[in-house]
Amino acid sequence: MVTAVSLFTGCGGSDFGLHQAGVDVRFANDVLPYARDVYLANLPETDYQVCDVAGIESFPKTDLLVGCYPCQGFSQGGARKADRKVNYLYRQFVRALKQIKPKAFVVENVSGMQRADFSHLLRAQITQFRLCGYRVSWDTMNSADYGTPQERKRIIIVGLRSDLGERFEFPEPTHGKYQEGSHVTIREAIGDLPDWPEGEYWTEPFHWYYLSRNRRRDWEEISKTIVSHPRHMPLHPVSPKLQRIHTDKWIWAEDRPARRFSFREAARLQGFPKGMVFPDTENSSLREKYRVVGNAVPPQLFKSVSRKLLSYL
């Protein structure tokens, strides 16, 4: 069986995808205690360490290294500052890559890394990966095109060790207008859940910034991008439609209650399984549940890439 080390793991979106592709994740790491709690409640066999990756001196030898290092410096929903220290965590991934020397690696990050003011960071990462002895391919993938009920574009970087003599070709989309399967809708993902799940959704009022854009999709559409901050979570279709009255101002089309997606609905829209467990621990809170879900990688995206990658190993 192909084995993997997972860094900047979060609650396990990447690793759910790896497991579904038949990969054995031996080791995982993140700094968020509640991410670990959720991960182990669902994938208990992995050695998961909560600590700064810089403090890990040695990593297990595996066939595959995966990493989803934080993206707040490039994200549309983040600070968008190219000089933030968080933007250079890829150097810790490079350190692990040099030590493990796996047959392949996979990196996920936000599509905003292609922006002109951040592109030097993307080029720097690719250069470092090549200097480590890997043939590198990268592409922007929309998770909705691979079975996730959500519009979520991400950069995926894949490297194959040069001695394998191969260059990775990305998998073709499986869902969409011209594909075998249609996009998965909000209704298909969460239609069986209660409309008003008490205690599971953020109840803060909708301030002017929230109403500066349309954050609602209908039941038969795919969801807007799920975010980690509960205050900015997209609207559930049970909410009234929004009507644009100015460039950056929207109002409710009807006078009736509205709400954001719950953390559990957000997890479904990220592509996590229906039986996903969110344990109540000393580290848990409603905000933390939203946070770990919103920061996750859609499992279907990693499953599609991993399955294709296995054919090279």
Side-chain angles (χ1 to χ4, degrees), residues 259-274:
R259 74 166 176 89
R260 302 162 176 86
F261 285 123
S262 71
F263 74 85
R264 196 176 306 279
E265 292 161 345
R268 293 268 194 99
L269 295 168
Q270 281 277 53
F272 284 107
K274 290 187 175 182

Side-chain angles (χ1 to χ4, degrees), residues 66-106:
V66 304
C68 309
Y69 27 83
C71 58
Q72 288 85 351
F74 325 113
S75 173
Q76 292 292 324
R80 289 198 281 178
K81 293 182 179 179
D83 59 349
R84 290 189 67 187
K85 289 183 179 179
V86 71
N87 295 339
Y88 296 93
L89 285 173
Y90 74 85
R91 293 170 180 169
Q92 292 298 327
F93 186 87
V94 170
R95 179 174 70 89
L97 190 64
K98 290 178 178 178
Q99 185 183 117
I100 300 170
K101 296 182 175 62
K103 294 178 181 178
F105 72 81
V106 184

Side-chain angles (χ1 to χ4, degrees), residues 156-169:
I156 304 294
I157 307 172
V158 179
L160 286 166
R161 208 171 58 203
S162 296
D163 63 295
L164 297 178
E166 302 276 0
R167 185 176 297 279
F168 183 74
E169 296 289 338

Side-chain angles (χ1 to χ4, degrees), residues 3-279:
T3 57
V5 162
S6 172
L7 302 181
F8 310 98
T9 307
C11 69
S14 59
D15 296 16
F16 268 98
L18 291 170
H19 275 273
Q20 291 165 5
V23 177
D24 178 20
V25 183
R26 297 282 177 85
F27 178 90
N29 164 257
D30 205 282
V31 295
L32 294 177
Y34 190 62
R36 182 269 319 274
D37 296 345
V38 173
Y39 186 107
L40 292 180
N42 295 278
L43 300 171
E45 301 302 319
T46 301
D47 176 14
Y48 193 119
Q49 293 190 17
V50 178
C51 62
D52 185 339
V53 66
I56 301 175
E57 295 184 359
S58 63
F59 302 91
K61 290 289 185 180
T62 54
D63 304 301
L64 182 61
L65 174 64
V66 304
C68 309
Y69 27 83
C71 58
Q72 288 85 351
F74 325 113
S75 173
Q76 292 292 324
R80 289 198 281 178
K81 293 182 179 179
D83 59 349
R84 290 189 67 187
K85 289 183 179 179
V86 71
N87 295 339
Y88 296 93
L89 285 173
Y90 74 85
R91 293 170 180 169
Q92 292 298 327
F93 186 87
V94 170
R95 179 174 70 89
L97 190 64
K98 290 178 178 178
Q99 185 183 117
I100 300 170
K101 296 182 175 62
K103 294 178 181 178
F105 72 81
V106 184
V107 163
E108 178 267 358
N109 221 305
V110 296
S111 59
M113 200 161 52
Q114 298 176 86
R115 288 166 51 95
D117 43 350
F118 303 140
S119 61
H120 66 286
L121 291 169
L122 175 59
R123 292 194 301 270
Q125 292 175 58
I126 292 172
T127 297
Q128 287 297 314
F129 297 148
R130 287 172 174 161
L131 289 173
C132 287
Y134 290 82
R135 293 186 177 180
V136 181
S137 304
W138 70 275
D139 201 357
T140 300
M141 303 175 73
N142 188 342
S143 63
D145 295 337
Y146 297 87
T148 304
Q150 173 200 178
E151 188 175 68
R152 194 180 190 89
K153 293 181 179 179
R154 290 295 184 265
I155 286 178
I156 304 294
I157 307 172
V158 179
L160 286 166
R161 208 171 58 203
S162 296
D163 63 295
L164 297 178
E166 302 276 0
R167 185 176 297 279
F168 183 74
E169 296 289 338
F170 282 86
E172 293 295 323
T174 55
H175 293 68
K177 186 175 181 180
Y178 302 107
Q179 308 306 324
E180 183 175 341
S182 301
H183 282 142
V184 181
T185 67
I186 295 174
R187 188 184 300 280
E188 290 175 288
I190 65 171
D192 61 314
L193 296 175
D195 285 347
W196 298 91
E198 186 176 349
E200 293 194 354
Y201 62 90
W202 200 252
T203 57
E204 184 176 331
F206 301 101
H207 50 70
W208 68 266
Y209 180 76
Y210 190 92
L211 295 173
S212 67
R213 66 186 75 173
N214 186 3
R215 300 178 189 263
R216 184 187 181 279
R217 291 271 174 86
D218 282 323
W219 282 108
E220 307 309 325
E221 297 180 281
I222 59 174
S223 172
K224 287 179 175 289
T225 301
I226 297 300
V227 296
S228 61
H229 197 307
R231 187 170 62 177
H232 302 309
M233 183 63 61
L235 289 165
H236 189 285
V238 74
S239 307
K241 293 183 178 181
L242 285 167
Q243 178 182 342
R244 184 182 180 188
I245 62 170
H246 193 268
T247 304
D248 296 314
K249 187 173 183 180
W250 297 70
I251 61 173
W252 305 110
E254 300 175 67
D255 183 17
R256 57 186 178 85
R259 74 166 176 89
R260 302 162 176 86
F261 285 123
S262 71
F263 74 85
R264 196 176 306 279
E265 292 161 345
R268 293 268 194 99
L269 295 168
Q270 281 277 53
F272 284 107
K274 290 187 175 182
M276 183 78 168
V277 176
F278 292 90

